[in-house]
Amino acid sequence: METLNTAPSSQMPVWNTALRYGGFCAAAMVVLSLLIYITNFNVMALSGLAVMYISMFGICFATAAIGTKYQRDQLDGGYITYGKAVLVGLLIVLVGMFVSSLWNYILVNFIDPNYVAGMKEQFVAAWGEKMPAESLEEALKGFDKTGDLLTNIKNGIIGGLVIGLIVGLITAAFLKKQPETTKF
C-alpha cells in the first residue's frame, strides 16, 4: 500500500488557494460592478455607498473564509496557524481587489467612457449643495483619475491590503486550529 507524502502544515504553499479563491472574489466583485453599472445604481448617495461597501465586504469575507477553510482542511491536514490563516485571507482579498481594479479600468476606459461623467452627475446631485464649492471642485477632479491605469492599480493594491488585513484578521480568529498538545 502506498502512503501519501504530505508536507507539514507550515510547508504547504498558500498561492494556489490565494489565486483560486482570489479569482472567485474577483469574479464576484466584477458581477457586483456589472450589476451596479447595468442598473445605474447610485453609489454616490450615502445609502448607495453603504450597500456597495456592505456587499463588497460580504464578498471578501465569504471568499476569504471559504478559501482559508479549504487551505486548513484540504491542504494542511485540518490545522492552520493564526498567522497563516491571516495570510491566506489577506492574499485572497488582495488578488480579488487587484483584478477588480483592472476590470474597473477596462469599464471606464473601453466599455463606457462616459461612465465617469455619469458618476460625477450622481455625486453633484447627492453632495453638491452639502459641500463648499472648493471642496466639490476638488472632489470632481478626483473622478478624472478614475480612468488612469496606475491609479486603479494603486487603489486596488492599497484597498486589497487594508481590506484584506481586516478580513484576514477576523476570519483567522474563527478558522485557526492548532494541533492539540498533551501536557504531562
Side-chain angles (χ1 to χ4, degrees):
M1 188 160 121
E2 196 174 306
T3 59
L4 292 174
N5 185 9
T6 59
S9 79
S10 63
Q11 300 292 319
M12 293 303 295
V14 298
W15 288 109
N16 184 30
T17 303
L19 292 174
R20 174 183 292 163
Y21 289 93
F24 294 151
C25 181
M29 290 220 249
V30 167
V31 168
L32 175 64
S33 175
L34 278 171
L35 288 173
I36 289 170
Y37 174 72
I38 290 169
T39 61
N40 200 25
F41 187 74
N42 186 358
V43 294
M44 294 300 139
L46 195 55
S47 59
L49 280 171
V51 167
M52 183 184 72
Y53 281 110
I54 289 170
S55 300
M56 185 183 67
F57 268 99
I59 290 168
C60 291
F61 272 110
T63 54
I66 294 167
T68 303
K69 187 175 183 318
Y70 173 81
Q71 180 75 30
R72 179 191 72 190
D73 296 344
Q74 301 300 317
L75 301 177
D76 288 348
Y79 301 105
I80 192 167
T81 64
Y82 183 78
K84 188 171 185 179
V86 170
L87 179 65
V88 171
L90 170 73
L91 290 175
I92 288 169
V93 174
L94 181 61
V95 169
M97 296 288 282
F98 180 76
V99 174
S100 177
S101 69
L102 293 177
W103 157 252
N104 287 331
Y105 171 76
I106 292 168
L107 175 66
V108 301
N109 283 296
F110 303 108
I111 296 173
D112 187 359
N114 295 322
Y115 187 60
V116 174
M119 287 175 56
K120 282 182 179 181
E121 289 174 13
Q122 288 179 347
F123 185 82
V124 170
W127 300 101
E129 296 177 5
K130 300 171 186 168
M131 296 176 74
E134 303 85 37
S135 298
L136 180 63
E137 206 169 297
E138 180 126 354
L140 291 175
K141 286 180 187 176
F143 280 95
D144 295 330
K145 295 179 183 177
T146 305
D148 181 46
L149 180 61
L150 293 178
T151 300
N152 275 292
I153 290 173
K154 179 186 78 165
N155 291 341
I157 290 172
I158 291 171
L161 288 172
V162 171
I163 294 170
L165 185 59
I166 293 167
V167 167
L169 288 168
I170 294 170
T171 57
F174 292 102
L175 295 171
K176 69 177 170 76
K177 188 174 182 185
Q178 300 281 2
E180 294 181 20
T181 58
T182 57
K183 296 180 183 178
F184 293 101

